[in-house]
Amino acid sequence: MPDSSSSPLSVAWIARGRLFVKRGDGSVDEIESAFARNSLERELKHSDNNAWKDRSGVWGEMGMAPPGRAPWGEGNKRRKIKFVTVAKGDSPDEIYYVLDMGPVGGLFKYNMELDEETRLMHSQSFSVRDISRHPVDGELAVSVRRDDGTMGLSINRHDGLYGKLITLSDTIDEAPSWLPDGSKRLVFQSSAIARDDDGRTLGKTVTRIELLDIEKQAITKLFEEDNEDLLQPRMADNDSVLYIRRPYKSSHYKPPTLWEVTQDVFLFPFRLARAAFHTLNFISMASSGKSLATSGGPDHRRPDKKQPLLILYGQAVDTQQAMAKGAGKDDERPLVPKEWALISKPKDGIETVIAENVLTFDRSAAGDIVYSDGRSVFHLKNGKTPTKIGSGDIIEKVAILR
């Protein structure tokens, strides 16, 4: 079991879209965005000023909301604020992060010592995901989602402006990471998209690790394995590469089996009856406001907080199944199976398994490794026993700040 003693590192992590920072031996603090808070206050005020419109007309007389809107008292009026990614900033007291607030988002820099937030980029449908700061000139390598579903890499100035796309293939390129030697080279993960003759997406290949040399304008494939995805690469000083390896799951279309066809035929009358019932129930609700269902059912005013499927780098993970296989208390069991392993591999050497049940990780220039299994954050140094430094619910990203 990992030791629970404190760690001198400064580390940030994102759990359920919320950003937390632990600086040295201090306590865990949550970072809130002033920009997001002010934006939500304006939106809530506007919503309250126009709430009367939802209660007028025929639908209001029936005690129902107009079509396309949630019933009164249901749902959350406040827009969801989600921290997408985090990275170390220009100084030990600064961090970069990306905010997603639904239709808008942006790239921000935050000074923890001065409690000062700087908006670098802000636009509709902001699509930046991963961030890596160059160790010398501060340029930002980011992954950008494009309209056709692909993702490419972009190089931006340290203030986030004047981004230039550097990968334009029909691929999903993510998780860029500059090499620690200060050169204009970076490693990233990439998977090709398979399409039919009409351009429709059929699936994607295994995720491999590639090296991009910007000055030479050359891309070199470093590692690729059959039936395995290689994720979140980080290059060490000795030219070995650290990455997460997980089993590959094909997203290609598979024809139904004979057993699945038999099930569909047998269940068709029941599914037809259910569809008819819900149609009649809707008519009853629209005309009298009364439901035909009186035997209870799920309370839609209390959404189920248990979300067993978590999408991680294009793959759905059954977190409940992974937790069932793990040991320990429910709130400490890893969210990903042990097949998700952190690997260290030199270019021409034998790989080493550093840890299992790894969902995300980061490595510092000094060789410190911080990783998470989705529930806890651990610090690993010089191959010693991991030290637990924090915990959370669905930890999707960790970053070493200093």
Side-chain angles (χ1 to χ4, degrees):
M1 291 294 294
D3 184 12
S4 59
S5 61
S6 60
S7 169
L9 284 179
S10 291
V11 180
W13 62 86
I14 295 176
R16 281 197 178 273
R18 300 166 62 186
L19 177 59
F20 301 89
V21 173
K22 179 177 174 57
R23 304 174 66 188
D25 294 324
S27 61
V28 177
D29 299 318
E30 182 175 0
I31 304 297
E32 295 186 355
S33 168
F35 172 84
R37 182 174 60 251
N38 295 335
S39 176
L40 287 179
E41 288 176 354
R42 291 193 300 268
E43 179 179 310
L44 189 59
K45 182 178 180 180
H46 179 269
S47 177
D48 291 340
N49 291 337
N50 292 274
W52 64 271
K53 297 179 181 179
D54 294 343
R55 293 171 169 81
S56 62
V58 177
W59 293 97
E61 293 178 359
M62 293 191 298
M64 299 177 63
R69 300 190 184 182
W72 307 326
E74 297 183 13
N76 189 356
K77 289 185 177 181
R78 297 179 63 87
R79 186 195 302 165
K80 297 292 185 181
I81 303 175
K82 182 179 181 182
F83 287 86
V84 177
T85 190
V86 61
K88 65 179 181 181
D90 301 331
S91 70
D93 295 323
E94 287 185 339
I95 57 175
Y96 289 100
Y97 52 78
V98 171
L99 273 178
D100 181 0
M101 296 183 294
V104 297
L107 172 64
F108 297 81
K109 182 168 63 174
Y110 178 70
N111 189 301
M112 296 178 287
E113 191 68 27
L114 302 177
D115 190 22
E116 182 178 82
E117 182 183 53
T118 303
R119 182 178 61 188
L120 304 179
M121 299 174 63
H122 168 234
S123 65
Q124 297 282 340
S125 302
F126 192 75
S127 57
V128 168
R129 287 301 176 260
D130 304 297
I131 306 175
S132 178
R133 179 187 177 276
H134 193 277
V136 178
D137 58 24
E139 282 190 326
L140 302 179
V142 301
S143 59
V144 181
R145 187 179 302 277
R146 297 189 283 258
D147 294 336
D148 60 357
T150 62
M151 294 192 69
L153 303 183
S154 174
I155 303 298
N156 299 46
R157 294 192 331 187
H158 70 282
D159 55 7
L161 300 177
Y162 304 105
K164 179 181 179 182
L165 287 173
I166 55 176
T167 58
L168 300 173
S169 303
D170 197 16
T171 55
I172 300 177
D173 300 329
E174 300 177 275
S177 176
W178 292 104
L179 268 61
D181 59 5
S183 64
K184 288 294 184 178
R185 297 182 298 164
L186 56 84
V187 289
F188 65 99
Q189 67 182 54
S190 179
S191 60
I193 297 179
R195 301 183 186 273
D196 61 15
D197 295 337
D198 297 323
R200 291 187 292 265
T201 302
L202 298 177
K204 67 183 188 69
T205 64
V206 296
T207 304
R208 59 186 178 272
I209 296 176
E210 296 185 344
L211 172 68
L212 170 63
D213 191 320
I214 297 178
E215 294 179 345
K216 295 181 179 180
Q217 298 184 2
I219 295 179
T220 305
K221 182 176 69 176
L222 295 182
F223 301 116
E224 182 177 12
E225 298 183 20
D226 295 335
N227 301 317
E228 302 285 351
D229 284 330
L230 311 181
L231 310 175
Q232 305 177 34
R234 299 287 189 273
M235 182 75 79
D237 295 329
N238 59 359
D239 287 339
S240 63
V241 181
L242 282 75
Y243 56 86
I244 296 174
R245 182 173 63 197
R246 73 177 183 190
Y248 168 72
K249 292 184 179 180
S250 175
S251 57
H252 295 261
Y253 170 76
K254 295 181 180 179
T257 63
L258 179 60
W259 171 244
E260 291 173 337
V261 173
T262 304
Q263 283 182 312
D264 290 337
V265 172
F266 177 76
L267 295 175
F268 176 77
F270 301 96
R271 293 171 177 170
L272 182 62
R274 183 178 62 180
F277 169 79
H278 285 295
T279 301
L280 296 174
N281 186 55
F282 172 78
I283 296 175
S284 176
M285 289 288 295
S287 60
S288 64
K290 296 182 179 180
S291 173
L292 298 179
T294 59
S295 58
D299 187 353
H300 297 287
R301 293 172 298 178
R302 297 181 180 179
D304 187 5
K305 294 183 178 181
K306 295 181 180 180
Q307 300 177 358
L309 293 182
L310 182 65
I311 305 298
L312 300 171
Y313 287 101
Q315 185 180 117
V317 179
D318 191 335
T319 56
Q320 288 186 352
Q321 185 181 38
M323 291 170 59
K325 294 180 179 179
K329 300 179 181 179
D330 288 344
D331 58 352
E332 295 180 353
R333 293 178 181 176
L335 291 185
V336 291
K338 66 178 182 179
E339 289 79 11
W340 288 53
L342 178 58
I343 306 296
S344 176
K345 187 173 183 179
K347 289 184 178 180
D348 300 315
I350 301 176
E351 68 179 35
T352 302
V353 178
I354 299 177
E356 296 178 337
N357 305 104
V358 179
L359 190 155
T360 182
F361 83 101
D362 195 16
R363 182 188 184 277
S364 71
D368 293 276
I369 296 174
V370 169
Y371 70 91
S372 174
D373 58 9
R375 289 291 192 180
S376 302
V377 180
F378 300 104
H379 171 214
L380 180 62
K381 185 174 183 179
N382 299 327
K384 297 180 180 179
T385 302
T387 301
K388 183 177 178 179
I389 59 177
S391 60
D393 186 16
I394 307 184
I395 300 172
E396 302 181 56
K397 185 73 175 180
V398 295
I400 299 177
L401 305 181
R402 62 176 175 182

